[in-house]
Amino acid sequence: MMYKVTLIPGDGIGPEITDVVVDVFEHLKAPISWEVVEAGEKEIEKNGTPLPEKVIESIKKNKVALKGPITTPIGKGFRSVNVTLREELGLYANLRPVKSLPGINTRFENVDLVVVRENTEGLYKGIEYKIDEVATAIRVITKKASEKIGFFAFKYAKENNRKKVTAVHKANIQKLTDGLFLDCIREISKNFPEIEYEEKIVDNMSMQLVMNPEKYDVLVAPNLYGDILSDLAAGLIGGLGFAPGANIGENIAVFEAVHGSAPDIAKKGIANPIAILRSSIMLLDYLKLNELSRKLENAISEAVKDKEALTPDLKGKGNTETIKQKIIDHLS
Ligand code: NAI
Ligand code: MG
């Protein structure tokens, strides 16, 4: 059986790293045919929108997509394509596993946690207004979305043999919004007595993560805290070049790295492709192609032992091409 998967190369380093996945999947003989659709900066000039309708149509049809990062203008311009996609496709859960890769030297050796980020509401609704010199943002938290993300986190924990779920919040200050979020997660936790449940205020959580990351397992958080904590957690395992993610809805999933379009290193051929490759491992698992995903995971683990081939973010002397080649060598 062949699977058709939507591929969005994206902006900045996006095309460079998604090309790596295409090449690697060819060597892996993955039963996947890509349907390439463009979104992002180039499309604004061509089509007047960074997110042409055909992108949404393609993902709705194929149900599975791999997406490169897309640049979002700061402080003006189009709404984030990433946020719009997640909302339009009902991708309510952002699943971001953060796992140390053996051989990559960081301050910690055994980080193995998962950030589950609510992906459709909170401050990302983008409801803002400005009157004279006062700007206001509205933060939306609903019972429905909070229950959904809570259930997702506990179900994920149960199915993946995880021991603990930590709900992250700021309900001491945001009493109604984070208060509602917390009430919902706490209620859901009662249906999973086998999984330990705890709550942490987000500032303390940040400190805990950089002091004792090995104590944490599954974190569930509203949109903004989940966004920030997943970049923080990526830093614990060697940086954004390693951190994969998946946006998951009822029967649609879009896989992408945690990182953005990295304009500072775009078109230099030095982007680390491992984060997007790890996202593609999640994609293979989602399609139940577990044998292939394990094969790719092993090849990556072997390839990173060669320090010379690593990209500059890992203080290696190599580039995107050398690490790709190493991974391909270890596939055969
Ligand atoms: P970024 O994640 O693009 O980059 C942060 C830093 O990490 C940079 O120094 C970059 O060079 C480095 N980095 C990121 N990925 C890397 C990789 N694969 N290999 C080596 N180094 C890597 O975050 P930044 O600079 O804040 O955002 C740039 C643009 O990306 C913005 O327009 C932002 O809106 C967008 N963005 C898009 C996302 C998405 O499409 N899902 C997610 C995050 C940001
Ligand atoms: Mg982010």
Side-chain angles (χ1 to χ4, degrees):
M1 156 151 190
M2 273 302 248
Y3 297 90
K4 200 168 211 185
V5 174
T6 300
L7 176 67
I8 307 167
D11 293 321
I13 61 171
E16 304 165 43
I17 57 173
T18 52
D19 271 357
V20 172
V21 177
V22 172
D23 282 359
V24 166
F25 272 30
E26 215 161 279
H27 283 85
L28 198 58
K29 298 195 175 58
I32 281 173
S33 75
W34 302 104
E35 181 169 280
V36 180
V37 289
E38 298 287 345
E41 282 178 321
K42 287 166 293 197
E43 289 304 294
I44 302 178
E45 292 145 46
K46 263 197 258 165
N47 287 309
T49 166
L51 185 57
E53 197 48 46
K54 64 173 190 292
V55 177
I56 304 268
E57 277 163 21
S58 170
I59 303 174
K60 280 189 175 158
K61 171 169 61 81
N62 297 327
K63 312 279 187 228
V64 182
L66 182 73
K67 178 186 158 298
I70 292 177
T71 299
T72 307
I74 291 176
K76 58 176 168 44
F78 281 98
R79 185 167 187 226
S80 161
V81 169
N82 309 306
V83 173
T84 310
L85 263 182
R86 291 163 187 169
E87 234 181 66
E88 288 229 357
L89 299 169
L91 305 170
Y92 67 92
N94 196 332
L95 180 65
R96 295 177 154 180
V98 182
K99 194 167 192 276
S100 304
L101 208 54
I104 296 295
N105 287 331
T106 59
R107 290 192 193 89
F108 304 98
E109 270 168 18
N110 299 310
V111 180
D112 182 8
L113 55 88
V114 181
V115 179
V116 176
R117 163 187 175 192
E118 200 293 318
N119 217 17
T120 57
E121 57 181 30
L123 279 168
Y124 291 67
K125 280 277 181 207
I127 308 169
E128 295 182 299
Y129 57 93
K130 191 171 174 209
I131 299 170
D132 299 329
E133 292 183 348
V134 181
T136 304
I138 294 182
R139 181 161 183 264
V140 182
I141 300 282
T142 63
K143 180 164 186 262
K144 192 173 166 204
S146 303
E147 283 178 348
K148 268 173 102 167
I149 200 66
F151 185 74
F152 181 94
F154 276 94
K155 184 164 169 278
Y156 177 89
K158 188 172 173 180
E159 287 173 355
N160 292 278
N161 221 355
R162 298 267 174 179
K163 307 284 177 260
K164 181 167 82 172
V165 170
T166 306
V168 186
H169 67 95
K170 189 80 189 176
N172 47 332
I173 305 296
Q174 303 272 287
K175 293 180 194 291
L176 296 184
T177 47
D178 275 346
L180 174 59
F181 179 82
L182 212 48
D183 284 346
C184 292
I185 311 291
R186 202 179 289 146
E187 265 320 291
I188 300 274
S189 76
K190 293 179 184 154
N191 303 314
F192 295 85
E194 69 277 32
I195 293 166
E196 188 188 336
Y197 173 63
E198 66 177 8
E199 297 167 354
K200 285 264 180 301
I201 298 177
V202 63
D203 30 3
N204 177 26
M205 186 75 243
S206 309
M207 188 271 293
Q208 295 290 339
L209 278 178
V210 295
M211 297 289 291
N212 309 301
E214 54 290 311
K215 281 195 188 151
Y216 296 91
D217 199 346
V218 176
L219 312 181
V220 60
N223 211 335
L224 179 64
Y225 311 150
D227 190 6
I228 296 171
L229 290 179
S230 49
D231 268 43
L232 184 156
L236 303 171
I237 58 160
L240 284 166
F242 283 120
N247 303 283
I248 296 178
E250 293 309 343
N251 61 357
I252 299 188
V254 176
F255 297 83
E256 64 178 334
V258 170
H259 65 70
S261 55
D264 53 335
I265 58 164
K267 299 207 171 76
K268 293 184 179 160
I270 55 167
N272 185 348
I274 293 177
I276 192 87
L277 282 168
R278 281 179 137 184
S279 310
S280 78
I281 289 176
M282 296 173 78
L283 185 155
L284 291 170
D285 283 332
Y286 183 82
L287 295 175
K288 306 239 178 325
L289 298 166
N290 306 83
E291 219 167 288
L292 293 179
S293 75
R294 224 165 310 131
K295 204 172 160 191
L296 177 52
E297 202 170 0
N298 289 336
I300 293 173
S301 299
E302 288 303 316
V304 300
K305 289 182 184 159
D306 183 346
K307 300 294 169 225
E308 294 283 301
L310 296 177
T311 46
D313 56 313
L314 302 169
K315 305 194 171 54
K317 295 196 176 64
N319 52 42
T320 312
E321 197 58 30
T322 56
I323 185 70
K324 176 186 93 180
Q325 210 46 58
K326 277 282 167 235
I327 292 167
I328 289 174
D329 291 348
H330 284 288
L331 281 176
S332 44

